[in-house]
Amino acid sequence: MKIISNPDISKQQELLQRPQQERANVDAAVKDIIKLVQESGDQALFAFAEKFDNAKLTTLRVTEAEIEKAKSQIATELKAAIQTAYQNIYKFHEACFTREYPVVETMPGMTCWRKSLPIQKVGLYIPGGSAPLFSTVLMLAIPAKIAGNKRVILCSPTDANGNINPAVLYTANLCGVTEIYKAGGAQAIAAMTYGTESIPAVDKIFGPGNAFVTRAKELAQQQGVAIDMPAGPSEVLVIADEDANPAFVAADLLAQAEHGPDSQVILLTDSISLAEAVNEQLSIQLSTLSRKQTAEKAIDNSKTIVLDNMSACIKWSDAYAPEHLIINTTNAEEVAEQIQVAGSIFIGSYTCESLGDYASGTNHTLPTYGYARNYSGVSVDSFVNKVTYQKATAQGIKNLGPAVEIMATAEGLDAHKNAVTLRLNTLKNE
Amino acid sequence: MKIISNPDISKQQELLQRPQQERANVDAAVKDIIKLVQESGDQALFAFAEKFDNAKLTTLRVTEAEIEKAKSQIATELKAAIQTAYQNIYKFHEACFTREYPVVETMPGMTCWRKSLPIQKVGLYIPGGSAPLFSTVLMLAIPAKIAGNKRVILCSPTDANGNINPAVLYTANLCGVTEIYKAGGAQAIAAMTYGTESIPAVDKIFGPGNAFVTRAKELAQQQGVAIDMPAGPSEVLVIADEDANPAFVAADLLAQAEHGPDSQVILLTDSISLAEAVNEQLSIQLSTLSRKQTAEKAIDNSKTIVLDNMSACIKWSDAYAPEHLIINTTNAEEVAEQIQVAGSIFIGSYTCESLGDYASGTNHTLPTYGYARNYSGVSVDSFVNKVTYQKATAQGIKNLGPAVEIMATAEGLDAHKNAVTLRLNTLKNE
């Protein structure tokens, strides 16, 4: 990785700039796909399955028998690992979720409260391709299960034989997904946006995908369907000091780099010797990876920035707003305390990102591409609406009504005032 | 209001349809405004102030002296009313906010936690025009104060003398807004999106506005700036039974109707006599309103739907997904318990929407236009990012690492596995 030593602060924005994403070229294709799904429903999905996945489908919904078969195809040790992850993720997500908030009496006779009501219908998209992302099923379907959404729809493309990856099916079933459909890409997003004969339109769509899926989700949002968050390539920023094990740092950078050639990897350190030792380790470790070429490209686009001290590293990290932030320093917890902007933070030399990607308990669906500045990762909150309630007794409106009458008058809203005045008058007469 | 008795369920979608919003005609104008603000910064804002507000401005930031002057212009009783509202809103919003979540040890040696970190820079837009919406200042700036955002920027247009409404200034100052700027409309949104010499670019933009402001916020979102929620005209749905006071019901419908001719008002009831009595009251009360014409138009577009029983009213209300839901029935709390989809719920005959619009404690920035299906109203949560943390000890990675190795291998992600394996190997050697 290119090492940049003690750059001037004026170079910060340029050095931390993310690669531009190309979007325009997929727009027309995605709009065509959406139009066909709107017009022809299931038939369009069958045609796209044949075109993109070489699969001849005649039905879309995965049957009980297919799920049972998938269960039998998963190795016992993988099942056990998935169940461990399930338990940790469930435990942490439940602990961070508030279903009913305390009732607050803001004034005598005026009580207010708030509840989390599950979104009625949610849709989860799980990509196919080289990596069967059953871990993403865990990260989306467990919060949905805790939230209690009435319908949890999952769409995923099939292989040429018309089968969704068995680990995806096994995990979806474990997490209580209510319906699984064979549909991939922008066409799956279109189906969950507009509905087809088989696939229901949903209220909110979650999940990762390629540029086509991302664009389809953006267009779904413009139609009133909510989405989990805007998407961009995955990224990690590591803050390390001279005490960090360079092999660990290199391994963490590569774990991010193998996701794709556009993955972003940044190392911030106050130690030039660590920076150099990490580069040596990168060369050694790269040679052993099956996704070597991908990781190499990503590493070529990435940089190590050497700064004066930890305090500068913290400021540069906040300016970058990383999706994943690994803090591999002495006093890592103290450094973490000072961070203001990040998606998820991994503290200390043993806490590699892979733990959080799969099984520590936190969610791996996180804001990329600088969105950590203004979006949160997925949690149970993402699957509910927070609804407020209020109830005034006669005493309540007597106490609060006069203030509301004054404010409504000041805003020139007569009828707002009148709704209070009529009630107060009735109470005077009683 | 038109009374529709016992419609067939097949008519539900049609009867509950919201009026189409016209958007295309503002798009080009908004894009021109944004372009000018991007190109000319403050100078563009001065020009727009002259064009739209007849105001000759030479600076944009409101001074301390202007705020002091505004304070002296507000009647004592209005100040007291605003302070009452402030206290209730602060109390309720703080009670619904979690800054630090419990630390969860998901497995021995593996701890995860979550914190609410304030978004660095937020922007609040407060429209000018006929109604000076100081109540919206309360609803946006109080949650920001609790969240602790470093910079809280407020933009609002001025009158022809170059002054922002004094009640808006007084309330903004009371709520700890850090900077107030004289800018209105789509140009204010553009300034907060791209920044100008005076006005900083922000991470998230909040607040209501006309079609131009709404479109500018949508375009800001496409540039990576978060927004509070998608916007549409305000609306109320009232569920009432034969025990409801028809004068109260009519007053609540009119309070919504006076917002604008496109406001939506729906009454669901199981009592035809109540429906008729409400219509009589509407005629009587309409004649007394200063915004009579506006309210009349909105009422003309609205309907009363008479259904068989309360259970049907609940189902139709959920299908509509109202921003405001007033339940004016015997056993109103029981009805409220059964509602699955709404923005904010007002329970019982004394709880008019006006209370919540100003001062009950709940937020009045709520999802309109059916967005109650998949968005929540504004709360302190809207002003923070929820960040997750995790820390594995040596014992933690020994316990969890093997499961992660298995899952990473199954997803074909070598380098993810390797980050764990390297650490486990080091521990074996120790």
Side-chain angles (χ1 to χ4, degrees):
Chain A
M1 277 194 338
K2 199 176 169 191
I3 297 176
I4 296 136
S5 274
N6 291 304
D8 191 76
I9 187 80
S10 67
K11 298 272 177 207
Q12 188 183 64
Q13 211 177 346
E14 186 193 326
L15 285 170
L16 296 180
Q17 191 142 41
R18 290 166 170 90
Q20 287 288 320
Q21 291 180 275
E22 280 181 46
R23 305 190 147 213
N25 54 342
V26 306
D27 192 61
V30 171
K31 282 178 177 159
D32 284 347
I33 290 171
I34 292 172
K35 190 156 165 275
L36 272 171
V37 173
Q38 271 191 283
E39 284 169 1
S40 313
D42 285 357
Q43 290 307 318
L45 297 176
F46 293 142
F48 287 125
E50 188 154 0
K51 182 175 173 187
F52 295 125
D53 307 319
N54 275 318
K56 280 199 191 287
L57 304 179
T58 51
T59 55
L60 295 170
R61 186 157 178 178
V62 171
T63 63
E64 283 299 318
E66 286 176 290
I67 292 167
E68 287 308 312
K69 190 178 164 202
K71 282 184 197 170
S72 71
Q73 289 172 304
I74 309 293
T76 311
E77 64 166 7
L78 180 55
K79 277 187 192 167
I82 290 173
Q83 280 162 10
T84 297
Y86 177 93
Q87 281 155 19
N88 291 350
I89 296 163
Y90 198 102
K91 196 171 176 181
F92 179 68
H93 281 69
E94 186 157 71
C96 292
F97 177 54
T98 308
R99 199 174 300 276
E100 305 224 352
Y101 292 80
V103 176
V104 181
E105 189 166 23
T106 51
M107 289 183 107
M110 184 73 241
T111 46
C112 302
W113 63 101
R114 187 192 196 208
K115 269 195 222 179
S116 300
L117 295 185
I119 295 174
Q120 297 289 293
K121 284 181 279 184
V122 298
L124 317 181
Y125 181 68
I126 304 296
S130 55
L133 295 181
F134 59 84
S135 61
T136 303
V137 180
L138 289 167
M139 296 296 174
L140 299 178
I142 293 173
K145 187 173 193 181
I146 296 169
N149 308 101
K150 218 182 254 175
R151 295 180 75 176
V152 182
I153 284 101
L154 186 149
C155 287
S156 193
T158 71
D159 60 19
N161 298 319
N163 296 316
I164 292 176
N165 180 280
V168 168
L169 289 186
Y170 168 77
T171 310
N173 182 254
L174 179 73
C175 299
V177 166
T178 60
E179 295 143 68
I180 307 172
Y181 296 98
K182 297 173 179 179
Q187 58 273 24
I189 306 302
M192 292 193 280
T193 304
Y194 295 99
T196 70
E197 299 89 331
S198 299
I199 302 180
V202 302
D203 299 314
K204 190 167 185 178
I205 298 175
F206 296 78
N210 58 20
F212 294 83
V213 168
T214 297
R215 183 65 190 138
K217 281 173 71 185
E218 287 172 1
L219 293 169
Q221 190 178 30
Q222 289 170 29
Q223 291 302 315
V225 179
I227 63 170
D228 44 3
M229 68 188 78
S234 192
E235 64 201 19
V236 72
L237 187 148
V238 178
I239 298 178
D241 63 12
E242 58 175 357
D243 293 335
N245 181 329
F248 292 2
V249 174
D252 291 344
L253 297 174
L254 289 171
Q256 191 59 50
E258 76 174 336
H259 273 304
D262 57 352
S263 281
Q264 267 251 309
V265 161
I266 288 179
L267 171 61
L268 298 180
T269 180
D270 57 359
S271 159
I272 182 78
S273 59
L274 185 273
E276 285 161 357
V278 168
N279 269 357
E280 276 170 47
Q281 281 293 327
L282 283 171
S283 312
I284 296 168
Q285 292 181 28
L286 255 174
S287 62
T288 68
L289 296 179
S290 61
R291 290 169 171 253
K292 183 185 163 182
Q293 280 193 311
T294 302
E296 210 158 24
K297 267 193 199 156
I299 291 290
D300 279 348
N301 293 327
S302 301
K303 28 184 119 65
T304 297
I305 301 171
V306 183
L307 298 166
D308 277 345
N309 48 44
M310 266 305 124
S311 161
C313 292
I314 291 165
K315 280 185 194 134
W316 280 64
S317 176
D318 277 352
Y320 182 70
E323 178 194 10
H324 304 98
L325 168 59
I326 299 176
I327 304 174
N328 195 340
T329 65
T330 39
N331 309 323
E333 278 201 63
E334 282 170 34
V335 174
E337 281 287 322
Q338 294 172 66
I339 291 293
Q340 291 301 310
V341 193
S344 191
I345 303 180
F346 301 78
I347 301 170
S349 66
Y350 291 121
T351 319
C352 51
E353 188 202 308
S354 315
L355 295 180
D357 287 339
Y358 288 103
S360 68
T362 62
N363 206 289
H364 82 194
T365 307
L366 294 165
T368 54
Y369 210 69
Y371 288 115
R373 287 188 193 94
N374 42 19
Y375 289 86
S376 307
V378 162
S379 69
V380 185
D381 291 337
S382 315
F383 290 85
V384 301
N385 298 317
K386 308 271 178 173
V387 178
T388 52
Y389 300 75
Q390 52 246 288
K391 186 178 181 177
T393 61
Q395 189 202 10
I397 196 165
K398 278 183 183 168
N399 286 333
L400 187 58
V404 171
E405 290 180 306
I406 290 165
M407 288 190 279
T409 303
E411 287 194 354
L413 294 172
D414 279 19
H416 279 65
K417 171 177 183 281
N418 203 39
V420 175
T421 308
L422 267 176
R423 287 168 165 94
L424 290 178
N425 287 346
T426 319
L427 289 168
K428 269 182 210 150
N429 300 339
E430 263 173 15
Chain B
M1 275 191 347
K2 199 175 166 189
I3 298 176
I4 296 135
S5 274
N6 292 302
D8 190 78
I9 187 79
S10 66
K11 297 273 177 204
Q12 188 184 63
Q13 212 178 345
E14 185 193 329
L15 286 170
L16 297 180
Q17 192 142 41
R18 290 166 169 89
Q20 287 289 320
Q21 291 180 273
E22 279 180 46
R23 308 191 143 209
N25 54 344
V26 306
D27 193 62
V30 171
K31 282 178 177 160
D32 284 347
I33 290 172
I34 292 172
K35 191 158 168 271
L36 273 170
V37 173
Q38 270 191 283
E39 284 169 4
S40 313
D42 285 357
Q43 290 308 317
L45 297 176
F46 293 143
F48 286 124
E50 189 154 1
K51 182 174 174 188
F52 295 125
D53 307 319
N54 275 318
K56 279 197 190 291
L57 303 178
T58 51
T59 56
L60 295 171
R61 187 159 177 175
V62 171
T63 63
E64 282 298 320
E66 286 177 290
I67 292 167
E68 287 309 312
K69 190 177 163 206
K71 281 185 197 168
S72 71
Q73 289 173 305
I74 309 294
T76 311
E77 65 166 5
L78 179 55
K79 277 187 192 165
I82 289 172
Q83 279 163 10
T84 296
Y86 177 94
Q87 280 155 19
N88 291 349
I89 295 163
Y90 197 103
K91 196 171 176 181
F92 179 68
H93 281 69
E94 186 157 71
C96 292
F97 177 55
T98 308
R99 200 175 300 276
E100 304 222 352
Y101 292 80
V103 176
V104 181
E105 188 165 24
T106 52
M107 287 182 107
M110 183 74 242
T111 46
C112 302
W113 63 101
R114 188 191 194 209
K115 271 196 222 178
S116 300
L117 295 185
I119 295 173
Q120 297 289 295
K121 287 181 278 184
V122 296
L124 317 181
Y125 181 68
I126 303 296
S130 55
L133 294 181
F134 59 83
S135 62
T136 303
V137 180
L138 289 167
M139 296 297 174
L140 299 178
I142 292 173
K145 188 173 193 181
I146 296 169
N149 308 102
K150 218 181 254 175
R151 295 180 75 175
V152 182
I153 285 100
L154 186 149
C155 288
S156 193
T158 70
D159 59 18
N161 298 319
N163 296 315
I164 292 176
N165 180 280
V168 167
L169 289 185
Y170 167 76
T171 309
N173 181 254
L174 179 72
C175 299
V177 166
T178 60
E179 297 144 67
I180 306 172
Y181 296 99
K182 296 173 180 180
Q187 58 273 23
I189 306 301
M192 293 194 280
T193 304
Y194 295 99
T196 70
E197 300 88 330
S198 299
I199 302 179
V202 301
D203 299 314
K204 190 167 184 177
I205 298 175
F206 296 78
N210 58 20
F212 294 83
V213 168
T214 297
R215 183 66 190 139
K217 281 173 71 184
E218 287 172 0
L219 293 169
Q221 190 178 30
Q222 290 171 29
Q223 291 302 317
V225 179
I227 64 170
D228 44 3
M229 69 188 79
S234 191
E235 64 200 19
V236 72
L237 188 147
V238 179
I239 298 178
D241 62 11
E242 59 176 358
D243 294 335
N245 181 330
F248 292 3
V249 174
D252 292 343
L253 297 173
L254 289 170
Q256 191 59 53
E258 76 173 338
H259 274 302
D262 58 352
S263 282
Q264 266 251 310
V265 161
I266 288 178
L267 171 61
L268 298 180
T269 179
D270 57 358
S271 159
I272 182 78
S273 59
L274 185 274
E276 285 161 357
V278 168
N279 269 358
E280 275 170 48
Q281 280 293 326
L282 283 171
S283 311
I284 297 168
Q285 293 181 29
L286 255 174
S287 62
T288 68
L289 296 179
S290 61
R291 291 169 171 253
K292 185 187 162 182
Q293 279 193 312
T294 301
E296 211 158 23
K297 266 193 201 156
I299 291 290
D300 279 348
N301 293 327
S302 301
K303 28 184 120 64
T304 298
I305 301 171
V306 183
L307 297 166
D308 277 345
N309 48 45
M310 267 304 125
S311 159
C313 292
I314 290 165
K315 280 183 194 137
W316 280 64
S317 176
D318 278 352
Y320 182 70
E323 177 194 11
H324 304 98
L325 169 59
I326 299 176
I327 303 173
N328 194 340
T329 65
T330 41
N331 309 322
E333 279 202 62
E334 282 171 34
V335 174
E337 280 287 323
Q338 294 172 66
I339 291 293
Q340 291 300 309
V341 192
S344 190
I345 303 179
F346 301 77
I347 300 170
S349 66
Y350 293 120
T351 319
C352 50
E353 190 202 307
S354 316
L355 295 180
D357 287 340
Y358 288 104
S360 68
T362 62
N363 207 290
H364 81 194
T365 306
L366 294 165
T368 54
Y369 210 69
Y371 289 115
R373 286 188 196 94
N374 42 20
Y375 290 87
S376 306
V378 162
S379 68
V380 184
D381 291 336
S382 315
F383 290 84
V384 300
N385 298 318
K386 307 271 177 172
V387 179
T388 51
Y389 300 75
Q390 52 247 286
K391 184 177 182 178
T393 61
Q395 189 201 11
I397 196 166
K398 277 183 184 169
N399 285 333
L400 188 58
V404 171
E405 291 180 305
I406 291 165
M407 288 189 280
T409 303
E411 287 194 352
L413 294 172
D414 279 21
H416 280 64
K417 172 177 182 281
N418 203 38
V420 175
T421 308
L422 267 176
R423 287 167 166 94
L424 290 179
N425 286 346
T426 320
L427 289 169
K428 270 184 211 150
N429 300 341
E430 262 172 15

